Amino acid sequence: MSHDASPRPMAFARSGPLSGVVRVPGDKSISHRSLMLSALAVGESRIEGLLEGEDVLATAAAMRAMGATIERGADGAWTVSGVGVGGLLQPETTLDMGNSGTSTRLLMGLVASHSITATFIGDASLSRRPMNRVIEPLSLMGADVTVSPGGRLPLMLRGLCPAVPIIYRLPVASAQVKSAVLLAGLNTPGITRVIEPVPTRDHSERMLKGFGADLTVEVENGERHIRIRGEAELKPQHIVVPGDPSSAAFPLVAALIVPGSAVTVENVGVNPTRAGLYEVLRMMGAEIAFSNPREVGGEPVADITACFSTLSGIDVPPELAPSMIDEFPILFVAAAFAQGRTVMRGLEELRVKESDRIATMAEGLRAIGARVEELPDGLIVEGTGGEPLAGGTTVASRLDHRIAMSFAVAGLNSLAPVEIDDMGPVATSFPNFTNLIEQLSVPQS
Ligand code: S3P
């Protein structure tokens, strides 16, 4: 799980038109949740399309360590035999979360309302990320946490059973914090309520309901009130995980910036709490079409086609940020090829992702010839108007998969190749990224 041992440098060079119809791996957020909830159901669940990336495998290993039986079948589907809500066992080893903030924060929620103690460790990137945002509500519910200085990993969390139900208004727009409290609430007597002033991805709510939890969502005075009644029994499910819109963003933006391209990514999740990037790209003039809309396992899905487009800079509405929070690195790249200025603000959260995504992108974009101005809460990018960037240098991915893939895409329209110092982190979310880009680069006959 540790990809910080031996860096895997790789160069991405100017490409001819990209074309083809592809699929991307399963949605990371939905994959984590499908393993966790299946592991808490009574009986056997089946999961198709699970993302087999390092982050999700970290969740699988942790759920196994706490008693679930999780296996991959010969057909690529996964089966999970759950322990029942309240049935998690004391793990005998530390839980190695690798690079995965979602695994860490959601699993802390699960452990918080069980009578078990778990120690969470992670790689250098994860060990720099703030955990107080989940420690605070989980402590109110009764968990006892011993944490490294600055609220970082490694940390040890001792759960309490029965835990105390709380009403918690989210101080940051974070689906991970919301989900941690809801998952703790699943094994807590009474009703746990999370108040969400700014909506974030709602996969936890959808899937908890799908598994039979007693969960309601009401909008009161513009805020979402999510109530979960604890100590419910979850029924095993057959889950089909849609393609990850955050992964689809890379080949689709590549098609927008490489002249002559047309790329379709089939079977992409287009949940409105995740699809902000596509809205913003359209505002910039991108030719992007959704086709074949359908619903799969309680989530909206579509095929998305993007064609090479002349993009124009815009002021990106900050209120869209939560619905595209993981897509800013690749939007910065798109903006680098647009005509005029793109202003992106209200993005403080990007500073505490797998890397400081504002600083890392600003540094790398400048190095390959883009004009950018770093702000405390965002970035202003002055685009080339479609001309290639200079490239010809090595950029740092800083243990951040989305940084690595964003600069790889930038290399596809740069005069000299862009070398990424380490593509290893891409294995956390999109293991076949390089092959897929190569496949799209082969001229179609
Ligand atoms: C995620 C929520 C987001 C996102 C992360 C996955 C999730 O984090 O950046 O990649 O699955 O809940 P925050 O909720 O902390 O913004």
Side-chain angles (χ1 to χ4, degrees):
M1 204 155 314
S2 165
H3 50 250
D4 35 359
S6 46
R8 288 186 33 225
M10 197 176 291
F12 289 79
R14 199 164 177 195
S15 168
L18 302 171
S19 69
V21 180
V22 290
R23 289 187 173 221
V24 295
D27 187 279
K28 185 152 73 72
S29 294
I30 297 176
S31 294
H32 284 298
R33 288 155 172 83
S34 66
L35 287 172
M36 292 179 197
L37 295 189
S38 298
L40 290 174
V42 178
E44 189 175 282
S45 292
R46 179 179 160 85
I47 310 170
E48 286 174 42
L50 187 83
L51 166 62
E52 295 175 355
E54 290 173 354
D55 279 12
V56 174
L57 298 179
T59 289
M63 296 316 298
R64 279 194 195 106
M66 292 189 282
T69 305
I70 303 178
E71 279 161 5
R72 184 184 195 276
D75 60 355
W78 290 67
T79 50
V80 180
S81 295
V83 294
V85 170
L88 291 180
L89 304 178
Q90 171 66 47
E92 280 174 9
T93 54
T94 56
L95 303 180
D96 185 353
M97 303 284 93
N99 189 251
S100 179
T102 309
S103 308
T104 311
R105 296 191 177 119
L106 272 57
L107 290 171
M108 284 171 68
L110 282 184
V111 170
S113 55
H114 283 75
S115 298
I116 57 179
T117 300
T119 299
F120 294 87
I121 60 168
D123 73 2
S125 153
L126 185 58
S127 303
R128 282 191 290 267
R129 299 181 66 186
M131 295 299 153
N132 280 339
R133 52 182 61 198
V134 273
I135 294 173
E136 187 190 288
L138 297 178
S139 302
L140 294 173
M141 297 181 81
D144 181 25
V145 187
T146 310
V147 65
S148 299
R152 321 274 169 200
L153 295 190
L155 65 78
M156 189 178 78
L157 190 150
R158 178 176 301 124
L160 177 70
C161 187
V164 182
I166 59 169
I167 299 177
Y168 193 68
R169 177 179 269 100
L170 292 175
V172 288
S174 167
Q176 293 182 351
V177 179
K178 167 176 68 177
S179 302
V181 177
L182 292 176
L183 290 174
L186 195 53
N187 192 41
T188 299
I191 293 176
T192 297
R193 190 195 324 179
V194 179
I195 304 171
E196 202 180 35
V198 179
T200 64
R201 64 190 68 194
D202 64 355
H203 306 301
S204 296
E205 296 92 304
R206 287 174 188 250
M207 199 181 285
L208 279 162
K209 272 195 215 164
F211 270 84
D214 182 355
L215 180 142
T216 60
V217 181
E218 276 161 350
V219 178
E220 297 170 24
N221 302 322
E223 300 182 324
R224 290 177 83 238
H225 288 238
I226 309 147
R227 295 175 176 84
I228 183 163
R229 182 181 295 281
E231 300 179 309
E233 187 173 305
L234 299 186
K235 293 177 213 57
Q237 300 295 310
H238 178 183
I239 297 169
V240 181
V241 181
D244 196 324
S246 301
S247 297
F250 297 103
L252 292 169
V253 169
L256 294 176
I257 66 166
V258 174
S261 299
V263 167
T264 298
V265 184
E266 290 180 329
N267 193 45
V268 185
V270 290
N271 180 318
T273 62
R274 294 287 300 283
L277 173 73
Y278 300 106
E279 214 176 306
V280 166
L281 289 171
R282 280 197 182 123
M283 289 178 199
M284 295 173 76
E287 205 182 308
I288 292 187
F290 283 25
S291 57
N292 196 12
R294 55 208 183 269
E295 191 164 302
V296 177
E299 291 278 349
V301 168
D303 303 336
I304 307 182
T305 301
C307 299
F308 172 68
S309 303
T310 305
L311 302 175
S312 304
I314 61 165
D315 283 11
V316 175
E319 62 275 16
L320 287 180
S323 65
M324 54 182 295
I325 196 66
D326 291 336
E327 282 66 78
F328 280 97
I330 191 63
L331 178 63
F332 296 162
V333 170
F337 292 96
Q339 215 138 38
R341 279 155 69 94
T342 303
V343 180
M344 293 156 282
R345 308 204 63 156
L347 307 178
E348 301 81 354
E349 274 297 297
L350 295 193
R351 296 210 180 265
V352 292
K353 294 294 181 187
E354 285 82 333
S355 70
D356 175 341
R357 287 183 171 163
I358 299 176
T360 315
M361 287 303 297
E363 182 192 346
L365 281 169
R366 259 190 219 117
I368 61 171
R371 287 167 57 198
V372 303
E373 185 190 335
E374 185 177 341
L375 307 169
D377 68 335
L379 201 68
I380 299 177
V381 180
E382 189 78 47
T384 62
E387 294 302 312
L389 289 168
T393 190
T394 301
V395 293
S397 60
R398 304 211 189 283
L399 292 179
D400 188 332
H401 53 139
R402 300 200 200 282
I403 300 291
M405 291 186 279
S406 297
F407 283 119
V409 169
L412 302 177
N413 194 16
S414 292
L415 292 172
V418 172
E419 188 185 59
I420 321 300
D421 69 341
D422 184 11
M423 284 296 281
V426 169
T428 60
S429 69
F430 198 163
N432 62 333
F433 169 80
T434 305
N435 288 344
L436 186 134
I437 294 293
E438 271 167 18
Q439 189 187 330
L440 291 171
S441 316
V442 175
Q444 310 285 296
S445 49

